[in-house]
Amino acid sequence: MSGILIIIGRVLGLTAALFIGMFGLDVFFTGAPWWQNLLGFAVHSLPSLVLLAVLLVSWRWPLVGGTLYLLLAIVPFVGLSNPVWVNALLATPLVLAGAFLVAGALVAKRG
């Protein structure tokens, strides 16, 4: 059972990274020179790279990775000035990934 929870958490973590990374693609449609587009894409990809780093951590230590995902879910509410529903949309995959990873790690420790 714990293995399934951890796998679901990892898949959700990867999905969250891809979802956040998708927002970086909009820089290619600004009409700017290619080097500015590439720089903008690199900057917009940093949050996805952080999420992928947490995914790598969670592969070895699910409890640590899950806790990091839960902490990162706070960032949209603190660091962005979006409406609350937008921040909730950004944070929900992180909360779910973190919850599944933490639950899977706790079940594995218990059983």
Side-chain angles (χ1 to χ4, degrees), residues 54 63-75 94-100 102:
V54 173
L63 185 59
V64 174
T67 304
L68 288 173
Y69 275 129
L70 292 173
L71 290 173
L72 285 173
I74 299 169
V75 171
L94 303 176
V95 170
L96 291 173
F100 275 104
V102 168

Side-chain angles (χ1 to χ4, degrees), residues 25-78:
L25 296 175
D26 68 342
V27 299
F28 292 111
F29 303 104
T30 61
W34 68 270
W35 59 271
Q36 282 183 336
N37 288 339
L38 195 59
L39 181 63
F41 180 70
V43 169
H44 282 89
S45 296
L46 290 176
S48 289
L49 294 176
V50 169
L51 294 178
L52 289 175
V54 173
L55 179 63
L56 290 176
V57 169
S58 71
W59 218 274
R60 178 72 173 109
W61 302 286
L63 185 59
V64 174
T67 304
L68 288 173
Y69 275 129
L70 292 173
L71 290 173
L72 285 173
I74 299 169
V75 171
F77 296 99
V78 176

Side-chain angles (χ1 to χ4, degrees), residues 1-6 104 107:
M1 178 65 170
S2 66
I4 293 172
L5 292 173
I6 291 173
V107 168

Side-chain angles (χ1 to χ4, degrees), residues 1 3-4 7-8 11 13 15-16 24 31 36 40 45 47 63 71 76 81 84 91 93 98 106 110:
M1 178 65 170
I4 293 172
I7 289 172
I8 291 171
V11 169
T15 304
Q36 282 183 336
S45 296
L63 185 59
L71 290 173
S81 60
V84 174
L106 294 178
R110 206 171 137 214

